[in-house]
Amino acid sequence: MSLSVTLTINRVPRTVQLDDPRVTLLDLLRERLDLTGTKKGCDRGQCGACTILVDGRRVNACLALAISHDGADILTVEGLSDGERLHPVQAAFIAHDAFQCGFCTPGQIMSAVGLIGEGQAGDDPERVREGMSGNLCRCGAYRGITEAVIEAARAMAETAREEAA
Amino acid sequence: MNRFEYVRPRSVAEAVAAAAVPGSAYLAAGTNLLDLMKIGVARPARLVDLNHLPGLDGIEHLPDGGAQIGARMRNADLAYDPAFRRRFPAVAEALLSGASAQLRNAATVGGNLLQRTRCAYFQDTASACNKRRPGSGCDARGGENRLHAVLGWSESCIATHPSDFCVPLVALGAVVEIEGPAGRREVPLRDFHLLPGATPERESVLAPGELVVALRLPAEAAGFAAHARYVKLRERTSYAFAVVSAAACLRLEEGRIVASRLALGGVAAKPWRAEAAEAALAGATPDAASFRRAAEIALAEARPSGDNAFKIELARRIAVRALLLAAAGTPDRLPALPASPFASVPGGFHG
Ligand SMILES: Cc1cc2nc3c(=O)[nH]c(=O)nc-3n(C[C@H](O)[C@H](O)[C@H](O)COP(=O)(O)OP(=O)(O)OC[C@H]3O[C@@H](n4cnc5c(N)ncnc54)[C@H](O)[C@@H]3O)c2cc1C
Ligand code: SF4
Ligand code: FES
Ligand code: FES
């Protein structure tokens, strides 16, 4: 069978010809499409640096085979802002100093977007920490991360209420 | 990672036919298989991708009160299905205590059952490992083996099965539905995984090419919903495999136990159902003394396979804790830290 995959990446349809079925979504994004915002930490599902949304769900791009995701809708950190307007999660990470070196940050942010979408944690810090446990931060910015996620969740709920009214 | 041929079947029949070719492996989410391929432990010549099959990705609540879960259903989707959670809360709690949210969003029911051991020597191609290379020896025997098996192990292999999901499932009498070259068959989960004996490379009863299509929970399993818990001790609070774990389910009437289920995780090459302990609980009062007795029985045959004698007493205590929590009643909402033993127990018990 032909090794071509068609993906919607950050709202743009892309068809990529693969010379080899071994390519992961992470390597496809970074090496073939120059989308290096998604980071490679462990490459084994253990750190969360590679977190992206696939069909709206947060997953580890390092353990996803690209060819198997033919037809999928992918959102990476590059596709999050609305032009110059930051996504509420991005804005909250800045407001709460939720990073130091920044290496884990794209994964943290994408994971937070996924977590808020899942709607299981609300604004309970313990549930937010548990829901974010798949994202490690070697700089230990966890406190700011938790605060940022809670604030972004509130801001997004507020916007949704205003829009519904 | 080795090169492989990639095939994308569009039906179960096509998948089974494709996987009948020697050297084939089914690809579900790949969270375990791709990991092992990257480190050279799994080297399939052919990947048969299950991700484009129609169906097998949902749950059906059966008219008789049981439930049938498609093998491709994602771990998170199952855990968050409201009716499933209400009827089989210990299974939902076990699922949510496993891995991370990202991994649970991807991982499938079938893949979770068939995930391989986390033994470090199995994962290191430079080490001797009878499971990876039959006859090569077992470097875990004289190595780092704190987390290895205390039940059902053999001289050839002391590895454990790492799944959380499987522990309440085996307690509740789940049945695995299998499609294969020779047709359809069913195997109770308790007989699905194999103890190592002299052939640790054989981990389940699946024949080459056989596909798990579904998992079934019998109607009676839902009868434990009011008193069903999973408790998992980890080396850190979250995103870690079990050191030991226990699923406990009770049916209480007039202050007595009329039926019980108990299974242990992290102790053997399979999820370990403790039937003798269950029998001992019949008619007993649901208190710490009864539970301690049951835990003694559950671990009666346990023996260390290395530097892991501590796991035997730990498993007893986790079993007692799970039984006490089950007796106290399933909470309306799952705790913030699912399955964590670091929560207070009603009645002030802290053993
Ligand atoms: C960092 C990390 C932490 C983790 N922590 C935990 C934890 O705490 N608790 C826990 O329980 N698990 C944990 N896991 C393991 C995780 O649950 C498994 O990787 C996952 O369930 C596998 O599912 P999958 O769909 O990705 O399977 P795959 O990786 O695609 O497949 C796994 C195996 O099953 C076979 N297979 C898959 N589907 C079928 C089928 N339908 N029929 C026949 N064979 C099939 C494949 O051929 C392969 O051999 C962790 C994993 C990682 C990477
Ligand atoms: S315990 Fe089993 S899996 Fe681990 S090295 Fe020994 S034979 Fe291999
Ligand atoms: S790079 Fe994917 S989880 Fe670490
Ligand atoms: S900010 Fe440095 S790793 Fe998280």
Side-chain angles (χ1 to χ4, degrees):
Chain A
M1 84 184 280
S2 112
L3 293 178
S4 117
V5 274
T6 301
L7 300 163
T8 304
I9 300 178
N10 299 332
R11 292 173 286 280
V12 180
R14 308 279 293 255
T15 297
V16 187
Q17 211 56 46
L18 298 175
D19 41 21
D20 190 315
R22 291 177 288 189
V23 182
T24 60
L25 274 180
L26 179 59
D27 288 339
L28 182 90
L29 292 168
R30 291 182 56 84
E31 311 285 336
R32 321 257 164 147
L33 300 173
D34 273 340
L35 290 168
T36 55
T38 308
K39 301 302 180 213
K40 183 184 281 193
C42 64
D43 210 24
R44 295 193 61 191
Q46 298 175 355
C47 74
C50 65
T51 304
I52 58 171
L53 300 193
V54 174
D55 298 325
R57 304 157 69 96
R58 50 180 167 152
V59 301
N60 302 111
C62 68
L63 290 184
L65 204 60
I67 186 81
S68 173
H69 285 78
D70 202 10
D73 184 30
I74 310 280
L75 187 68
T76 73
V77 72
E78 289 93 342
L80 210 51
S81 68
D82 177 7
E84 289 299 296
R85 225 178 76 221
L86 293 181
H87 185 282
V89 173
Q90 291 174 308
F93 265 64
I94 294 172
H96 288 273
D97 258 341
F99 46 83
Q100 225 180 92
C101 77
F103 186 83
C104 71
T105 312
Q108 300 279 2
I109 289 177
M110 295 315 291
S111 188
V113 173
L115 172 82
I116 293 167
E118 287 157 17
Q120 301 287 339
D123 57 7
D124 174 350
E126 183 125 73
R127 286 180 196 268
V128 168
R129 277 194 293 273
E130 168 65 16
M132 293 292 292
S133 74
N135 293 84
L136 306 190
C137 174
R138 292 298 301 271
C139 299
Y142 295 111
R143 187 192 165 126
I145 293 169
T146 305
E147 289 169 358
V149 175
I150 291 171
E151 183 191 292
R154 284 198 190 120
M156 288 167 74
E158 184 62 30
T159 311
R161 259 196 306 278
E162 281 165 11
E163 277 169 6
Chain B
M1 198 188 291
N2 63 298
R3 268 188 177 272
F4 54 84
E5 184 197 356
Y6 172 81
V7 282
R8 186 184 291 167
R10 298 289 179 173
S11 68
V12 167
E14 268 181 48
V16 169
V21 178
S24 300
Y26 289 117
L27 173 71
T31 62
N32 187 223
L33 182 57
L34 291 178
D35 190 16
L36 293 175
M37 286 169 69
K38 286 182 185 193
I39 57 177
V41 170
R43 307 178 56 83
R46 188 177 224 221
L47 283 192
V48 179
D49 189 355
L50 303 176
N51 289 288
H52 298 263
L53 292 181
L56 304 183
D57 57 351
I59 176 167
E60 199 185 332
H61 295 279
L62 303 170
D64 74 352
Q68 189 189 39
I69 306 155
R72 301 197 315 116
M73 191 171 188
R74 308 288 170 178
N75 287 190
D77 291 344
L78 183 58
Y80 289 136
D81 179 273
F84 181 78
R85 236 170 146 163
R86 200 169 52 247
R87 303 179 60 218
F88 309 106
V91 186
E93 186 165 23
L95 279 169
L96 292 175
S97 76
S100 66
Q102 289 94 317
L103 288 159
R104 296 190 295 267
N105 273 343
T108 63
V109 161
N112 193 315
L113 254 56
L114 287 151
Q115 61 175 299
R116 315 288 305 273
T117 184
R118 308 305 287 198
C119 171
Y121 304 96
F122 171 73
Q123 296 204 354
D124 170 23
T125 52
S127 296
C129 170
N130 288 323
K131 188 186 275 302
R132 184 166 32 72
R133 208 145 56 79
S136 64
C138 169
D139 276 350
R141 289 309 300 276
E144 260 301 323
N145 48 26
R146 287 179 61 248
L147 300 178
H148 284 71
V150 293
L151 282 163
W153 54 272
S154 71
E155 291 305 317
S156 58
C157 178
I158 60 173
T160 61
H161 191 263
S163 168
D164 292 302
F165 182 42
C166 288
V167 180
L169 284 178
V170 82
L172 292 169
V175 175
V176 186
E177 299 182 4
I178 300 164
E179 191 81 52
R184 207 177 171 91
R185 64 180 180 127
E186 296 186 352
V187 178
L189 183 62
R190 53 160 305 164
D191 304 326
F192 182 77
H193 296 100
L194 301 174
L195 290 176
T199 54
E201 71 280 11
R202 287 213 60 210
E203 295 174 353
S204 80
V205 299
L206 281 191
E210 278 193 314
L211 176 73
V212 172
V213 288
L215 200 64
R216 210 173 59 240
L217 278 164
E220 55 172 337
F224 295 97
H227 296 278
R229 291 303 299 269
Y230 182 66
V231 177
K232 171 183 180 184
L233 189 79
R234 290 157 265 195
E235 291 193 318
R236 61 182 182 195
T237 310
S238 182
Y239 199 14
F241 286 92
V243 176
V244 292
S245 69
C249 306
L250 300 171
R251 258 184 37 231
L252 304 177
E253 273 169 30
E254 292 166 7
R256 297 266 159 192
I257 298 168
V258 293
S260 72
R261 298 295 174 84
L262 182 67
L264 302 171
V267 294
K270 59 192 284 184
W272 194 267
R273 174 102 181 250
E275 267 152 340
E278 293 170 7
L281 284 171
T285 48
D287 53 35
S290 310
F291 295 153
R292 182 70 203 182
R293 234 174 1 256
E296 297 286 350
I297 294 170
L299 275 302
E301 317 264 283
R303 58 200 170 103
S305 60
D307 298 327
N308 57 0
F310 75 98
K311 281 181 72 168
I312 298 172
E313 176 57 17
L314 206 52
R316 288 190 197 105
R317 293 186 189 190
I318 290 296
V320 171
R321 178 64 71 93
L323 285 160
L324 280 169
L325 285 169
T330 308
D332 289 337
R333 188 177 181 204
L334 275 183
L337 301 177
S340 173
F342 300 108
S344 60
V345 181
F349 184 87
H350 294 290

